[in-house]
Amino acid sequence: MTDRRRFIKTLGGLAAGSALIKPTEIFASSSDSRKTSVSKGDRFILEWENFTGELKYTFAISSSARNTTPIVLTRLHWGGLVGYGEASLPPYLGETQASVNEFLKKVQTNVLSKFNDPFRIEEILSEVDAIAINNTAAKAAVDIALHDLVGKIMGQPWWKIWGFRAEDTPCTSYTIGWDASDDIVKEKTHEASWSKVLKVKLGRGDYEDRRMIRIIRENNPGTPIYIDANQGWKDKVYALDFIHWLKEQGITMIEQPMNKYDLDSHAWLTERSPLPIIADESCQRLVDIPKLKGAFHGINIKLMKCTGMREAREMVSLANALDLRLMIGCMTETSVAVSAAAQLAPKMEWADLDGNILLSNDCFTGMKLTEGKITLNDLPGIGVKPL
Ligand code: MG
């Protein structure tokens, strides 16, 4: 399937017992809104659809620019319920819709066919992780769908299952991407006036970086700004000097100033910086965290980097234990992946969960923003519904 309308229509068909994938035995009890026990006949069926996320603006970082993001949406059927998941695939991550499709076939054939109990999350996702070394977004597409499903079985959202308080969520930042046109940067700044925090992508050289900040500050003097250099600054002495200048402009946090492998330079910078320095590209998965202690003040967790909600929750605990500060981020992605990440938001000091509002064709509704603050709902699982 390639058409989203057909995807959603199919969903309606499945709920009503459509014969598209012959779900007779699986959906015998599909009228139940909640299922509390595993019966012998229950088995998993994983479906997926390629989807193109259309960006409202050209998305430019220090190394690339694009107008769309390839996405794969997943549905995990079990016991008359469906869990939604997503893989968002910005090109620099190295995954494609084709690689995700191939991976998901292996998940269905090699892993899900062996299980009939969704609560065996640890075993299922460990086996999914073992299929291949990388493919982290494909793994996240399974992880998110399984969490959504289990939350629906339990009738509770994940933020509540984990014991978090919904009111503890931070405000999200909203990203203003680089643009060559002063007028477009000005327009983007005015469009972002609702947001309590802005995020600006820098790392295009001193002139361009200062130009972006100058235009934004001329049009919005007061809103705090996070900077994401995306590894774009090449020299630690320059970076420190520039960070001092940025602090005077009301910038409050710096993400990934230099090359992700150069932990020594980051440690030097972190020791001296007047603003917190956060690892993004340097922090992919749980295993990366111990070596980042001392090199950064904190880490940016993203589900597409770390294989999903299960590992992200573990990263929160490890970061807490190591006294590393926490941020949650996202790719340009639909409300499925953003709402899954938002379940962790109560544990975060900073959040950059604007991926869904950077899309012009989001096909789900889920986590909302209330004057910029992440607002979790009480819907079970990850709290999303197809539009
Ligand atoms: Mg970043």
Side-chain angles (χ1 to χ4, degrees), residues 325-337:
R325 296 162 76 174
L326 281 168
M327 173 177 187
I328 187 117
C330 63
M331 309 301 174
T332 42
E333 56 200 25
T334 77
S335 286
V336 170

Side-chain angles (χ1 to χ4, degrees), residues 199 201 228 230 255 280-281 300 302:
K199 177 166 158 174
K201 301 279 197 177
D228 191 351
N230 287 117
E255 207 181 310
D280 184 5
E281 287 88 338
N300 183 350
K302 291 178 180 168

Side-chain angles (χ1 to χ4, degrees), residues 118-296:
F119 285 94
R120 288 165 70 177
I121 295 174
E122 284 291 317
E123 286 167 86
I124 294 169
L125 295 180
S126 292
E127 291 206 18
V128 169
D129 197 16
I131 291 174
I133 293 172
N134 297 313
N135 302 86
T136 54
K139 291 170 184 174
V142 181
D143 169 287
I144 294 168
L146 182 58
H147 279 80
D148 192 33
L149 177 67
V150 169
K152 284 171 174 164
I153 296 168
M154 297 172 79
Q156 298 294 337
W158 273 94
W159 62 265
K160 201 174 272 190
I161 295 168
W162 280 328
F164 304 157
R165 300 193 312 172
E167 59 267 34
D168 290 345
T169 55
C171 288
T172 185
S173 58
Y174 180 72
T175 297
I176 298 178
W178 175 87
D179 199 284
S181 158
D182 289 11
D183 286 341
I184 289 182
V185 176
K186 186 176 167 182
E187 183 190 324
K188 286 180 175 181
T189 306
H190 286 299
E191 196 192 65
S193 61
W194 58 269
S195 185
K196 294 281 190 289
V197 189
L198 301 176
K199 177 166 158 174
V200 183
K201 301 279 197 177
L202 297 184
R204 288 180 169 264
D206 191 70
Y207 177 83
E208 283 301 317
D209 285 359
R210 288 179 198 261
R211 182 183 70 89
M212 283 292 294
I213 299 300
R214 177 179 53 76
I215 299 167
I216 292 166
R217 273 300 176 236
E218 281 171 4
N219 292 279
N220 182 334
T223 302
I225 298 176
Y226 306 155
I227 294 298
D228 191 351
N230 287 117
Q231 313 181 71
W233 298 336
K234 306 304 174 196
D235 177 76
K236 65 186 179 187
V237 177
Y238 168 82
L240 180 61
D241 184 55
F242 194 53
I243 289 168
H244 278 286
W245 180 80
L246 288 169
K247 184 167 188 287
E248 291 168 14
Q249 316 307 314
I251 277 66
T252 59
M253 184 264 276
I254 311 287
E255 207 181 310
Q256 197 68 46
M258 293 172 286
N259 185 281
K260 62 183 177 182
Y261 299 115
D262 190 357
L263 299 186
D264 288 344
S265 290
H266 279 107
W268 184 92
L269 190 60
T270 292
E271 199 180 333
R272 293 162 177 81
S273 172
L275 297 175
I277 307 289
I278 306 303
D280 184 5
E281 287 88 338
S282 295
C283 182
Q284 303 288 319
R285 298 195 58 174
L286 183 70
V287 70
D288 296 323
I289 294 178
K291 65 176 180 282
L292 301 178
K293 173 70 178 168
F296 293 89

Side-chain angles (χ1 to χ4, degrees), residues 351-366:
D352 180 32
L353 293 182
D354 61 352
N356 54 341
I357 49 179
L358 294 170
L359 293 183
S360 60
N361 63 340
D362 189 6
C363 49
F364 281 82
T365 178

